[in-house]
Amino acid sequence: MSHPSASSPVDVPPAGTSAPADRSAPWWAWAGATLVALTVAASVGVLAGLVRRDDFWLVAVVLAVCVLPPAALLGWFLVVRPRTGAPEPHAGDNVEHRWTQRAASGAFWDVLAVAGLALAASSVTGLELGGAFALVAVLLLALTDFFVRHAVVARRES
Amino acid sequence: MDNDLAARRAALGWSQAELAARLGVSRQTVISIERGRYDPSLPLAFRIAEVFGCRIEDVFRP
């Protein structure tokens, strides 16, 4: 094997240190993310409370609390994340990206198959399933299927 | 695909993390390529060849 002449050196940060573009978000970014989270959670809570007027405050508070974690994630994604770290122009080349794509694709087809089978079984047996139960079941199936597929393909290709 | 990425990297004294940083990918990506468990995309293959100063077919073999 001939000794290759490497291309011009690229600025590579020393091991154990972060790349120059990695930085902490300023305090006001976190404040903005918090504001986004609280606004989204409160809005969803109020909207839900207006739908169920007989238990307005109970429904509003419960829904707001339930929505707060994903709303916080949304706030982080919109406000904090753009201010930390450099964008990854080659993110699609990462093996993890392929794992995620394959896991999501497989989970999609599995959900379709299971939903179809469940619908057929329901039609044959006459069993009525509540809408909320069905939706939760689909959500749990999709999430579990995705994470299991991701773990399997990651173990196989790492 | 078979490749001699690990040997070329070692010849230059680069760690997997260093090579990953130069290629703009994760360290796990470099690991998977070296083990032959992940075939890089064409743009990534070109960047690999450019980093090592050789042709794609010098690094990868079907």
Side-chain angles (χ1 to χ4, degrees):
Chain A
M1 180 184 71
S2 60
H3 190 87
S5 57
S7 58
S8 56
V10 174
D11 284 334
V12 178
T17 63
S18 57
D22 287 340
R23 56 195 186 274
S24 299
W27 68 268
W28 51 264
W30 289 104
T34 304
L35 186 63
V36 167
L38 292 175
T39 302
V40 169
S43 300
V44 171
V46 167
L47 204 62
L50 289 175
V51 172
R52 298 275 295 270
R53 288 178 183 271
D54 49 344
D55 288 315
F56 175 84
W57 285 111
L58 178 64
V59 172
V61 170
V62 169
L63 261 295
V65 169
C66 291
V67 169
L68 194 57
L73 189 61
L74 178 66
W76 172 84
F77 184 79
L78 291 177
V79 183
V80 176
R81 187 174 182 271
R83 290 164 180 80
T84 55
E88 297 182 36
H90 306 300
D93 289 333
N94 286 329
V95 67
E96 293 91 341
H97 178 76
R98 185 167 92 167
W99 294 344
T100 301
Q101 279 191 319
R102 292 175 62 179
S105 173
F108 167 74
W109 290 111
D110 287 345
V111 168
L112 279 186
V114 170
L117 289 172
L119 190 59
S122 172
S123 300
V124 168
T125 62
L127 181 66
E128 295 284 337
L129 293 175
F133 175 83
L135 289 174
V136 169
V138 166
L139 203 60
L140 286 177
L141 171 65
L143 287 173
T144 305
D145 197 318
F146 172 83
F147 283 115
V148 169
R149 283 181 169 274
H150 192 278
V152 168
V153 72
R155 185 172 180 84
R156 191 188 314 150
E157 295 188 1
S158 60
Chain B
M1 298 183 71
D2 293 332
N3 64 80
D4 58 356
L5 200 71
R8 290 178 180 271
R9 175 178 59 78
L12 291 172
W14 294 347
S15 65
Q16 290 174 332
E18 283 183 83
L19 177 58
R22 291 172 186 271
L23 295 174
V25 296
S26 65
R27 178 172 168 263
Q28 179 60 59
T29 301
V30 171
I31 294 172
S32 296
I33 293 174
E34 290 183 352
R35 292 180 179 175
R37 296 178 181 176
Y38 176 59
D39 292 332
S41 66
L42 198 54
L44 177 56
F46 273 108
R47 291 204 306 276
I48 291 172
E50 182 182 4
V51 160
F52 289 119
C54 61
R55 302 172 304 168
I56 293 179
E57 51 266 40
D58 294 333
V59 182
F60 296 97
R61 294 175 300 281

